[in-house]
Amino acid sequence: MKSRDDSEIYGEGTLFAGNTGNIISVSESFCKLTGYRPEELSDKNISYFITRISGIENFFNFKYDNSPDKKRADVLFRKKDSSEIWLRTNACRKSEDCIRYRATEITDLKEKKEDLQNSKNILETIFNNVPCGMVIIGDDYRIFSVNDKTCEITGYSSEELTGELCDIICPKGKQSKECPIWEKKQKCFDGMETAVKCKGGYRNPVLKNAELVNLGGRNYILEIFQDLSVLKAAENRLKESEIRYRELVNNSPTGILLIDRDGNIIDMNHAAVKIYGSPSSEETKKRINIYNHPQLGQSAEKLRECLREDKLISYEEYYSSIWGKELYLRYDASPNHDENENITGITVNVQDFTERKKAEVELNNKNEILCELNEKLTLTEEEMIQQLYEITEIQRALTLSNRKLKILSAITRHDILNQITVLRGYIEIANGSEDKNADTYLNKMDSAAEIIQNQIEFTGHYEELGISEPKWQNISEIIRKLRNKKIPVKNGCGDLEIFADSMLEKVFYNLMDNSIRYAGDSPEISLTCEINQSSAKVYWRDSGTGVPKKEKERIFQRGIGKNTGFGLFLIREILSITDIEIHETGIYGKGACFEITIPNDKFRT
């Protein structure tokens, strides 16, 4: 059995346990980490404190496995205060009955990885739920990825499209040699009305935008397209409706005028042209303004009333046409409204009552003649009765004729107004189906696409963390590679090697990039090292302004910075893989100083 003193020599977060997980002893640092006293852990089975294990299922039970060395698991450990922390635990057999476990808290790393996964899931959700098709195409013309809307538009599944040449859906693919980006070297194009080839051989009309993007160091085309099939169908229905409307209006026996708020005739049918005796509708619209025409004073007054009171107005008037016709016309005027109920003009139905008016005048004249004869002639009773009967019949016929004409006029007017209302309704419905917000949608994707691009690029870098095993890397060799960028770095680290993640070169590249961004294109950069018994420190200094005190830790947070905001955050993540720390310790106003602290078992000279 190991003593407590024996466990201390192995450093922070160390415990010893038997083959079945019974705790033999723990280090003080492990107690500080978990909040327990040694006697509260001793002789307990470690599984009692474990909530979850990520890695080897029976990590703390090597009864049937005598080779636990170099095995690792992440465990969720319940502390004394009932809170939970993640520990990255490495096992090493010390004797036949004793296994040493070294534990490092990785709660923040786990949470960050979960945040990263959540961000990735959110991006994938956005990618698959945007109301537009999205396709990513490589420089080999092969489809790298598609979203769900693309599959919906084309009829293909994601599996059927991924990895295939883009010719499967794109008319201007590799075989056509007409690709605007790969062939014609354009960086982007917007608002191209084209079509996508769909499963089954048909083509769907789309409005396509495309842009050259860089993902993980490789160029791709990001295509975004909106399905226009519904819009095109609506346009066709609108055209058909307009044709039917025009045919109905032009074939109506009643004249129809469309007049704007200023009294201008903006449209008229064939019947109206015929009534006025005009040579053409264009000539009528050109020569007549209702408000200014000297012969249309009553019409001007009535139409203004129609606009002012927003109601149906009916009236009759004599009109001497400028084309030589003497007319008696019946008008029924109703206001037109837009989608916001604002009055935009007037629809006027015009009926030629000239012949009817002549008949009325003629009947009135005959009636007057009869009255005069009745006064002048002395008639026999029988003649008087006969004359009276004739007069009565004439009056009855006149009355009946007038009544029928009025009824016919009212019915005709009502039917035509109903038809116009129905036609307006159809047109408003058809117009309402157009996508009036198309520009606004395209502008947000473009922004989403830009956001997606930045997030995907960062995700690509972040996913590389921890994939390869850490290795010994010479700092001076890395700095020599940076010198290829023609940026002088005074290197005083000699042959110092660091045991770090394979992305260590990215650390110094990003530090160089940071110095250039904040210290100018020609910064003075120095790299120095200090080594003592417990650690080594590497200092990266530049000649810039430096970092204010309150910003020294904040700059390592994700999204902080002038560019993408991921550089310093990624640096700290890369170094933390092997317990290396980085802080900004410079004096503001005298330049930046990034202090990298390396544990004694992670460096060598």
Side-chain angles (χ1 to χ4, degrees):
M1 178 179 293
K2 294 285 183 180
S3 68
R4 181 179 172 186
D5 292 337
D6 291 333
S7 66
E8 299 301 336
I9 65 173
Y10 293 101
E12 184 176 279
T14 303
L15 66 86
F16 293 87
N19 287 329
T20 59
N22 289 330
I23 299 173
I24 299 172
S25 64
V26 296
S27 67
E28 286 185 4
S29 56
F30 188 85
C31 292
K32 291 179 181 179
L33 192 64
T34 62
Y36 291 102
R37 297 193 302 276
E39 57 269 21
E40 292 175 319
L41 295 171
S42 181
D43 294 330
K44 296 282 196 313
N45 193 289
I46 196 169
S47 62
Y48 173 78
F49 304 95
I50 302 302
T51 304
R52 182 152 50 106
I53 298 178
S54 176
I56 302 173
E57 183 176 355
N58 297 315
F59 185 66
F60 294 101
N61 189 341
F62 289 102
K63 184 176 181 180
Y64 304 106
D65 183 356
N66 293 320
S67 302
D69 289 355
K70 297 184 179 179
K71 292 188 177 179
R72 186 181 74 182
D74 293 340
V75 299
L76 190 60
F77 192 93
R78 186 178 66 257
K79 297 172 63 177
K80 185 174 181 178
D81 62 4
S82 297
S83 63
E84 294 178 332
I85 58 174
W86 278 100
L87 299 176
R88 176 153 290 169
T89 309
N90 294 278
C92 177
R93 181 170 293 284
K94 303 305 295 181
S95 69
E96 182 178 350
D97 299 320
C98 180
I99 300 170
R100 182 192 67 198
Y101 296 94
R102 280 186 176 174
T104 303
E105 183 180 0
I106 58 168
T107 305
D108 289 344
L109 178 61
K110 278 286 187 180
E111 290 176 352
K112 289 174 181 177
K113 284 188 175 180
E114 288 178 1
D115 290 343
L116 177 63
Q117 184 61 43
N118 289 337
S119 297
K120 184 177 180 181
N121 292 339
I122 290 171
L123 291 176
E124 289 178 353
T125 300
I126 294 172
F127 182 69
N128 283 317
N129 287 279
V130 292
C132 300
M134 297 182 71
V135 182
I136 300 175
I137 302 171
D139 53 10
D140 58 356
Y141 288 86
R142 295 195 177 276
I143 297 173
F144 178 73
S145 182
V146 298
N147 69 345
D148 293 345
K149 190 65 176 179
T150 298
C151 298
E152 178 185 330
I153 293 172
T154 63
Y156 289 104
S157 67
S158 176
E159 292 75 14
E160 289 175 314
L161 293 176
T162 303
E164 294 293 328
L165 288 173
C166 63
D167 301 70
I168 190 172
I169 58 173
C170 181
K172 295 185 178 181
K174 182 176 183 179
Q175 295 178 357
S176 71
K177 296 183 179 180
E178 294 181 0
C179 177
I181 293 181
W182 293 141
E183 296 291 342
K184 299 182 181 180
K185 308 303 180 184
Q186 296 180 16
K187 291 186 178 180
C188 64
F189 61 82
D190 297 318
M192 176 188 290
E193 280 203 27
T194 180
V196 292
K197 296 189 285 188
C198 302
K199 191 173 183 178
Y202 65 95
R203 296 193 176 196
N204 231 2
V206 295
L207 185 68
K208 182 184 289 187
N209 299 318
E211 185 169 354
L212 185 66
V213 298
N214 187 281
L215 304 177
R218 180 180 173 185
N219 287 333
Y220 293 87
I221 297 174
L222 173 62
E223 287 190 352
I224 303 174
F225 51 88
Q226 182 181 2
D227 186 1
L228 297 182
S229 57
V230 175
L231 180 61
K232 290 295 184 182
E235 288 179 352
N236 291 334
R237 289 195 300 271
L238 178 60
K239 289 178 182 178
E240 293 172 0
S241 176
E242 289 176 344
I243 291 172
R244 290 195 298 271
Y245 164 76
R246 179 56 59 186
E247 289 178 348
L248 183 59
V249 169
N250 282 333
N251 292 328
S252 170
T254 300
I256 300 174
L257 304 174
L258 294 180
I259 300 172
D260 65 18
R261 294 183 63 91
D262 297 323
N264 299 306
I265 299 174
I266 58 176
D267 202 0
M268 62 192 304
N269 67 347
H270 297 326
V273 174
K274 184 178 179 181
I275 289 171
Y276 285 106
S278 168
S280 68
S281 61
E282 294 302 320
E283 184 71 13
T284 307
K285 290 185 283 186
K286 179 180 177 181
R287 299 189 62 180
I288 294 180
N289 179 286
I290 302 299
Y291 295 159
N292 299 330
H293 197 284
Q295 298 292 328
L296 296 173
Q298 183 183 359
S299 285
E301 180 182 345
K302 292 293 184 180
L303 294 184
R304 287 192 177 98
E305 180 183 351
C306 176
L307 292 174
R308 183 174 62 253
E309 300 186 10
D310 192 10
K311 68 177 184 180
L312 175 68
I313 298 290
S314 299
Y315 62 96
E316 298 176 3
E317 73 172 354
Y318 285 100
Y319 171 63
S320 297
S321 167
I322 59 176
W323 294 283
K325 295 184 71 173
E326 297 294 330
L327 303 170
Y328 186 82
L329 303 177
R330 163 80 183 200
Y331 295 96
D332 295 290
S334 60
N336 301 328
H337 302 83
D338 61 17
E339 63 274 10
N340 297 318
E341 295 301 320
N342 298 314
I343 299 176
T344 59
I346 302 173
T347 296
V348 181
N349 295 324
V350 184
Q351 298 179 72
D352 186 358
F353 278 11
T354 304
E355 295 302 321
R356 192 197 74 170
K357 193 64 177 178
K358 287 181 180 179
E360 288 179 357
V361 171
E362 185 177 350
L363 287 173
N364 287 333
N365 290 338
K366 288 182 178 180
N367 189 43
E368 291 176 0
I369 292 172
L370 287 174
C371 289
E372 291 176 1
L373 289 174
N374 185 52
E375 293 175 358
K376 293 179 180 181
L377 297 175
T378 302
L379 302 174
T380 64
E381 184 178 353
E382 185 177 316
E383 289 174 334
M384 290 177 64
I385 293 173
Q386 180 64 33
Q387 187 67 41
L388 182 58
Y389 173 76
E390 291 177 358
I391 293 173
T392 302
E393 285 298 307
I394 290 172
Q395 289 178 337
R396 188 182 66 80
L398 177 60
T399 301
L400 181 61
S401 174
N402 284 335
R403 184 181 300 130
K404 287 182 178 180
L405 286 170
K406 288 181 179 180
I407 291 173
L408 178 62
S409 172
I411 292 172
T412 303
R413 180 173 69 256
H414 182 268
D415 288 346
I416 291 172
L417 287 174
N418 281 343
Q419 291 299 319
I420 295 298
T421 301
V422 170
L423 288 171
R424 287 196 201 123
Y426 280 128
I427 292 172
E428 288 177 3
I429 291 171
N431 284 331
S433 66
E434 294 186 12
D435 189 351
K436 297 180 180 179
N437 297 314
D439 290 341
T440 302
Y441 296 150
L442 289 175
N443 289 336
K444 286 182 178 182
M445 281 183 272
D446 184 56
S447 297
E450 183 177 350
I451 293 171
I452 289 172
Q453 177 184 343
N454 289 336
Q455 290 286 352
I456 288 175
E457 288 176 354
F458 170 69
T459 302
H461 290 311
Y462 201 79
E463 282 183 337
E464 295 177 11
L465 284 175
I467 291 178
S468 301
E469 292 185 358
K471 60 183 179 179
W472 290 102
Q473 300 173 68
N474 188 291
I475 292 180
S476 295
E477 288 294 330
I478 294 174
I479 298 303
R480 274 193 284 273
K481 292 180 181 179
L482 291 180
R483 284 178 175 169
N484 291 336
K485 310 293 185 181
K486 297 183 180 180
I487 302 296
V489 178
K490 297 178 181 178
N491 178 19
C493 286
D495 294 327
L496 180 66
E497 293 185 353
I498 298 177
F499 187 71
D501 189 86
S502 59
M503 292 179 69
L504 181 63
E505 183 176 337
K506 189 71 175 178
V507 169
F508 291 99
Y509 176 84
N510 282 354
L511 287 172
M512 174 72 77
D513 182 69
N514 186 76
S515 294
I516 292 173
R517 290 184 184 279
Y518 293 91
D521 293 334
S522 301
E524 294 181 6
I525 299 172
S526 65
L527 190 69
T528 58
C529 299
E530 292 180 3
I531 299 175
N532 54 47
Q533 292 181 349
S534 61
S535 65
K537 293 183 181 293
V538 176
Y539 298 93
W540 177 283
R541 295 182 175 90
D542 64 38
S543 58
T545 303
V547 181
K549 185 175 181 180
K550 65 180 181 180
E551 297 291 326
K552 289 184 181 295
E553 280 302 309
R554 188 169 176 267
I555 59 175
F556 292 100
Q557 296 176 12
R558 182 172 54 149
I560 303 301
K562 292 183 178 179
N563 193 27
T564 64
F566 296 134
L568 292 176
F569 171 76
L570 187 60
I571 287 174
R572 178 169 276 185
E573 291 297 293
I574 293 170
L575 295 175
S576 68
I577 293 296
T578 52
D579 301 327
I580 300 173
E581 298 180 354
I582 182 169
H583 300 277
E584 205 289 322
T585 59
I587 298 174
Y588 182 58
K590 295 185 178 181
C593 176
F594 290 93
E595 178 182 303
I596 301 171
T597 303
I598 308 155
N600 60 359
D601 60 343
K602 300 297 190 303
F603 71 88
R604 67 188 183 188
T605 57

